[in-house]
Amino acid sequence: SFLLKLENKTKRKLQKQICQVVLDHFEKQYTRELGDTWTNVRDVLTYPLCWQYAVLLNKFNQSAELKNTLHVKGYHPAFQGPLPYLPASLKCYIRRTPGRFPAQKHQAGKLKEYYLLNAASLLPVLALEVKDGEDVLDLCAAPGGKSVAILQCAYPGNFHCNEYDDLRSRWLKKTIESFIPDPLTNLIMISKLDGTQIGDLKPELYDKILVDAPCSNDRSWLFSSDIQQATLRLIQRKELSFLQFQLLRSAIKALRPGGSLVYSTCTLSKAENSDVINLILNSCTNVMPVDISEMAKAVSQEFTFLSGTQQHELLVLPEKGRAWGPMYVAKLKKM
């Protein structure tokens, strides 16, 4: 019975406290927006014991031993369908069972072998389709997982990683240092500019831009330990879509004509997803939606998508055994 007590204690530790204020808010909003689908999604989001983590290999520090270990632990390569864009150098492993592969500690002078992430967060990178020599901007880059993933795919001509928030910017720097070897880091410019100003500062400079926007992070908000902070977040939530709109408008200015942009969030909220994209499409005459349904079809084994979205967007819904997302992705092209 001592062991049982211990086990329950560990479970309780893993089973973080749900923030009721946030859950009530989500309950109202998402029942309205997602209908019956919300019930299944809620069961996954509120139960961390069923969460899954993908292992993104670092091509700059490869190890056969790691691949063996992953294989033994039941991991298999993600993204096996006929994707429109899937560089051979991008290697990501997932498994059906929940749990997290042990994280690697930062060691000075030694690159990490892998990055743990939500597999759905690679979809914006696959949608962006970065090719060698292109000038790329990751507008809201911290903590840096998507920047690292982009560099697994291709060697940009110039790679600009921007993060306005000071603390997050330090986190981004550390991630880049942990995964990217020295000569290559010279291609990378890390800045702390206000993302809403970048379009004016660097007009028509980039071929590809990722706007992984600040959003209401459904997963982490549900476990806010501070009720005051949670309540404040929910009040400020209404202002996020305006910031997202401004970031997108700025990114469009920074794009070269013919260049493309991917917008992503990790929320289910319609106000921060399709509403923002529709507002952009209605107010910017020089952008067009880009069909990403082929990519979605190719990864439908791994991910569950909300039905009824438009061809230029997708929304990954977490479910048991495929606990990826929430992740919203939309693609636009500048004329």
Side-chain angles (χ1 to χ4, degrees):
S1 84
F2 168 71
L3 278 176
L4 200 69
K5 269 187 192 144
L6 199 68
E7 198 178 306
N8 286 339
K9 197 175 163 186
T10 319
K11 263 205 168 137
R12 269 204 307 279
K13 221 168 138 180
L14 272 169
Q15 197 50 352
K16 305 178 268 195
Q17 274 320 112
I18 298 219
C19 181
Q20 201 54 49
V21 187
V22 177
L23 185 57
D24 293 345
H25 178 93
F26 282 3
E27 199 68 62
K28 276 199 201 78
Q29 181 184 348
Y30 293 148
T31 303
R32 194 174 63 240
E33 290 178 15
L34 303 169
D36 297 341
T37 316
W38 164 241
T39 316
N40 292 333
V41 172
R42 182 191 59 206
D43 289 350
V44 173
L45 291 184
T46 54
Y47 191 58
L49 290 175
C50 77
W51 292 4
Q52 289 156 280
Y53 296 85
V55 183
L56 175 67
L57 302 196
N58 185 10
K59 71 173 180 188
F60 303 111
N61 185 13
Q62 288 189 337
S63 115
E65 198 185 340
L66 173 61
K67 280 188 186 164
N68 278 338
T69 309
L70 287 167
H71 186 70
V72 169
K73 287 186 184 281
Y75 283 83
H76 62 270
F79 313 118
Q80 306 208 10
L83 275 112
Y85 170 86
L86 183 63
S89 52
L90 180 78
K91 291 191 165 51
C92 175
Y93 285 78
I94 57 175
R95 64 172 181 182
R96 283 280 186 202
T97 44
R100 176 202 286 257
F101 199 69
Q104 276 183 312
K105 293 267 183 289
H106 178 79
Q107 288 176 286
K110 195 172 186 295
L111 294 180
K112 291 188 180 183
E113 292 177 11
Y114 57 89
Y115 189 97
L116 299 177
L117 77 174
N118 184 325
S121 59
L122 290 174
L123 293 177
V125 174
L126 292 172
L128 196 59
E129 303 193 4
V130 173
K131 298 183 178 60
D132 288 350
E134 290 182 326
D135 296 324
V136 182
L137 167 64
D138 188 349
L139 188 63
C140 318
K146 293 183 182 71
S147 300
V148 166
I150 286 170
L151 289 165
Q152 301 302 315
C153 294
Y155 295 97
N158 294 296
F159 192 22
H160 181 179
C161 299
N162 183 66
E163 179 53 55
Y164 186 47
D165 182 89
D166 193 51
L167 192 69
R168 288 173 63 81
S169 177
R170 288 206 290 273
W171 192 3
L172 169 67
K173 271 204 176 86
K174 203 170 170 152
T175 304
I176 298 286
E177 279 163 19
S178 303
F179 287 91
I180 310 304
D182 244 354
L184 193 58
T185 47
N186 301 334
L187 290 181
I188 305 169
M189 175 172 114
I190 298 180
S191 67
K192 290 196 290 194
L193 300 166
D194 176 347
T196 63
Q197 306 295 311
I198 269 183
D200 294 323
L201 295 169
K202 302 186 178 289
E204 306 204 339
L205 207 68
Y206 304 98
D207 302 300
K208 301 275 163 81
I209 299 180
L210 175 62
V211 183
D212 185 39
C215 65
S216 44
N217 184 327
D218 295 357
R219 263 184 205 247
S220 65
W221 281 24
L222 274 167
F223 297 95
S224 315
S225 47
D226 181 338
I227 303 279
Q228 259 78 36
Q229 188 202 34
T231 313
L232 189 64
R233 273 175 173 171
L234 292 173
I235 293 166
Q236 292 171 335
R237 191 176 197 202
K238 294 182 183 69
E239 292 154 31
L240 275 170
S241 51
F242 183 60
L243 171 64
Q244 291 154 347
F245 176 75
Q246 286 180 301
L247 288 168
L248 270 171
R249 217 172 36 181
S250 172
I252 290 162
K253 280 185 189 167
L255 259 189
R256 292 187 177 127
S260 50
L261 169 158
V262 168
Y263 172 75
S264 60
T265 73
C266 52
T267 180
L268 298 159
S269 177
K270 190 171 161 293
E272 298 175 51
N273 294 341
S274 37
D275 288 359
V276 174
I277 292 295
N278 289 337
L279 195 57
I280 281 288
L281 288 171
N282 291 330
S283 60
C284 302
T285 48
N286 59 344
V287 286
M288 293 274 297
V290 178
D291 187 344
I292 54 171
S293 58
E294 279 306 306
M295 178 185 83
K297 208 158 57 223
V299 295
S300 56
Q301 292 317 121
E302 274 109 350
F303 302 100
T304 306
F305 298 108
L306 179 68
S307 58
T309 56
Q310 301 189 71
Q311 288 184 311
H312 59 272
E313 58 177 358
L314 57 86
L315 177 61
V316 179
L317 301 172
E319 60 170 40
K320 286 207 171 79
R322 301 198 280 189
W324 314 115
M327 180 61 58
Y328 175 80
V329 183
K331 187 170 184 177
L332 306 173
K333 189 182 170 97
K334 185 171 182 174
M335 305 318 284

